[in-house]
Amino acid sequence: MPRSCGGSGEGARRHVRAIREGDPEAAAEAAMVHLDNTLDDYRREIQRRVFG
């Protein structure tokens, strides 16, 4: 199962935590990492479904 379906929650939690703590740099970094990981997961899943 792709990480975005079950494991990216931690990245989202880091993002929210940084926002709550008032740390915009950490929030931006966490958001970028989370989105990059999610995009990678989707790409892998597309490859798996299209090319087996």
Side-chain angles (χ1 to χ4, degrees), residues 13-44:
R13 283 188 288 276
R14 276 189 238 128
H15 181 219
V16 171
R17 188 177 323 119
I19 292 169
R20 287 183 178 157
E21 291 174 356
D23 188 343
E25 291 84 14
E29 177 66 23
M32 286 189 299
V33 169
H34 175 59
L35 291 173
D36 286 345
N37 288 340
T38 300
L39 181 58
D40 288 343
D41 290 341
Y42 281 119
R43 285 181 175 147
R44 275 192 295 278

